[in-house]
């Protein structure tokens, strides 16, 4: 693996492994999405993830990472990211963000989606839609020669034009043999230049969008991030390779590219 400004440049074999890892993650998210119904505990999603990891013979990437105790993050309503799966039963109208990673042949797959529980409010639906759309707006900028910060600038402009806000505290990241590699991929525009994207880089782009303030607090459990004002948040994430043909989304399931809330 070559390095460019601290970021790893992956060869075709490495990108093939990352594709496979992310295919598994996307399949797991599909299965979890099928299980999102009123009355289900979020712990059920953890079971699905662990069972599928076992059948794929891969390790979950989050379990044990910096002491994180689960294979999934399940964040409900005002929880932004890093929520623990729990016996809490989802209710009609809730939204739940599920983040999942696996390690396949030493390479990490990482993706997330927010799911509606039954029928959700128009505002919650709009929040999910704007967040998911902002992910694709960001992906569009994931091209060789672009400043990595062009991604966040585009995400932020899109989200704010829709009347919502982007979280600053957590950012996307390079991803490869480690879950978090250089560069950081903010979802906002920092006031400086960033790294220039090169073919062979792989990044996880993961906008977290809030209806109200973008400020978050961390709960007593040291992990769960919640909005400071209690308004709801959504989170969508894809792992994306920078290629000669433009951005290549790696986290596509066997069903195809998932589009939760947006028309294809
Ligand atoms: N998608 C998240 C990230 O890239 C998942 C990390 S959760 C952790 O940071 F528990 F593993 F930290
Ligand atoms: Co990530």
């Amino acid at each position: 693996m070559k390095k460019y400004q601290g970021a790893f440049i992956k060869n075709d074999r490495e990108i093939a492994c990352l594709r496979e890892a992310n295919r598994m993650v996307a399949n797991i998210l599909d299965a979890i999405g099928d299980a999102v119904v009123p009355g289900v505990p979020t712990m059920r999603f953890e079971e699905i993830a662990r069972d599928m990891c076992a059948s794929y013979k891969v390790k979950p990437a989050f379990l044990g990472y910096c002491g994180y105790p689960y294979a999934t993050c399940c964040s409900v309503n005002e929880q932004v990211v890093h929520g623990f799966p729990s016996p809490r039963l989802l209710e009609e109208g809730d939204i739940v963000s599920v983040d999942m990673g696996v390690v396949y042949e030493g390479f990490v797959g990482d993706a997330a989606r927010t799911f509606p529980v039954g029928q959700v409010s128009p505002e919650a639906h709009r929040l999910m839609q704007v967040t998911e759309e902002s992910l694709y707006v960001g992906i569009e900028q994931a091209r060789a020669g672009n400043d990595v910060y062009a991604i966040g600038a585009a995400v932020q402009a899109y989200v704010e034009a829709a009347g919502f806000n982007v979280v600053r505290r957590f950012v996307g990241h390079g991803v490869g043999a480690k879950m978090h590699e250089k560069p950081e991929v903010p979802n906002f525009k920092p006031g400086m230049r960033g790294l220039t994207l090169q073919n062979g880089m792989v990044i996880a782009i993961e906008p977290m969008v809030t209806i109200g303030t973008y400020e978050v607090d961390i709960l007593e459990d040291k992990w769960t991030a919640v909005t400071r004002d209690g308004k709801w948040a959504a989170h969508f994430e894809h792992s994306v390779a920078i290629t000669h043909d433009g951005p290549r989304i790696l986290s596509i399931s066997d069903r195809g590219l998932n589009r939760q809330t947006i028309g294809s």
Side-chain angles (χ1 to χ4, degrees):
M1 255 183 288
K2 284 186 301 182
K3 248 185 172 181
Y4 174 85
Q5 294 181 7
F8 292 105
I9 307 292
K10 280 87 180 178
N11 62 30
D12 288 351
R13 184 197 73 84
E14 292 160 340
I15 289 180
C17 288
L18 286 162
R19 163 69 183 125
E20 186 60 13
N22 279 290
R23 185 183 69 83
M24 292 170 178
V25 170
N27 284 345
I28 292 167
L29 290 174
D30 279 355
I32 290 171
D34 291 345
V36 177
V37 288
V40 74
T42 55
M43 192 55 86
R44 177 77 195 112
F45 310 150
E46 175 76 10
E47 292 165 4
I48 291 169
R50 292 200 194 202
D51 287 352
M52 289 181 73
C53 282
S55 63
Y56 286 139
K57 298 187 166 55
V58 294
K59 282 215 199 105
F62 301 174
L63 184 63
Y65 181 87
C66 297
Y68 186 78
Y70 298 99
T72 58
C73 300
C74 302
S75 309
V76 183
N77 299 344
E78 78 287 353
Q79 298 176 354
V80 181
V81 282
H82 304 161
F84 290 169
S86 84
R88 168 183 180 163
L89 304 181
L90 292 176
E91 292 176 21
E92 175 99 23
D94 286 345
I95 60 173
V96 58
S97 303
V98 180
D99 195 343
M100 169 65 194
V102 308
V103 188
Y104 166 79
E105 298 276 327
F107 289 88
V108 176
D110 184 10
R113 298 178 199 161
T114 301
F115 301 102
V117 183
Q119 190 72 31
V120 301
S121 73
E123 188 183 50
H125 183 264
R126 177 102 183 105
L127 171 68
M128 289 193 300
Q129 192 169 46
V130 167
T131 311
E132 186 170 20
E133 281 169 348
S134 78
L135 170 58
Y136 291 96
V137 165
I139 290 171
E140 191 49 41
Q141 297 301 320
R143 296 175 180 278
N146 269 9
D147 189 304
V148 65
Y149 292 161
I151 295 170
V155 168
Q156 180 178 22
Y158 186 82
V159 166
E160 291 180 355
F164 295 134
N165 289 298
V166 292
V167 169
R168 278 44 167 182
R169 173 90 176 255
F170 302 102
V171 296
H173 48 92
V175 59
K178 294 218 192 94
M179 180 157 61
H180 294 140
E181 296 180 350
K182 282 192 176 175
E184 287 196 353
V185 185
N187 300 299
F188 55 92
K189 188 183 186 331
M192 62 191 99
R193 279 177 52 181
L195 165 151
T196 304
L197 293 170
Q198 308 287 323
N199 290 322
M201 289 182 183
V202 178
I203 55 177
I205 304 176
E206 48 179 320
M208 287 144 266
V209 174
T210 58
I211 291 174
T213 181
Y214 60 75
E215 295 286 359
V216 303
D217 292 308
I218 310 296
L219 298 185
E220 293 272 286
D221 64 19
K222 300 253 179 28
W223 281 98
T224 311
V226 298
T227 58
R228 190 158 289 172
D229 60 9
K231 294 188 181 175
W232 291 10
H235 178 208
F236 283 84
E237 176 178 24
H238 274 309
S239 292
V240 179
I242 316 299
T243 80
H244 290 98
D245 303 323
R248 177 183 173 204
I249 300 173
L250 300 179
S251 34
I252 297 179
S253 78
D254 296 338
R255 289 183 192 168
L257 182 63
N258 179 265
R259 288 174 178 273
Q260 199 74 25
T261 57
I262 55 186
S264 42

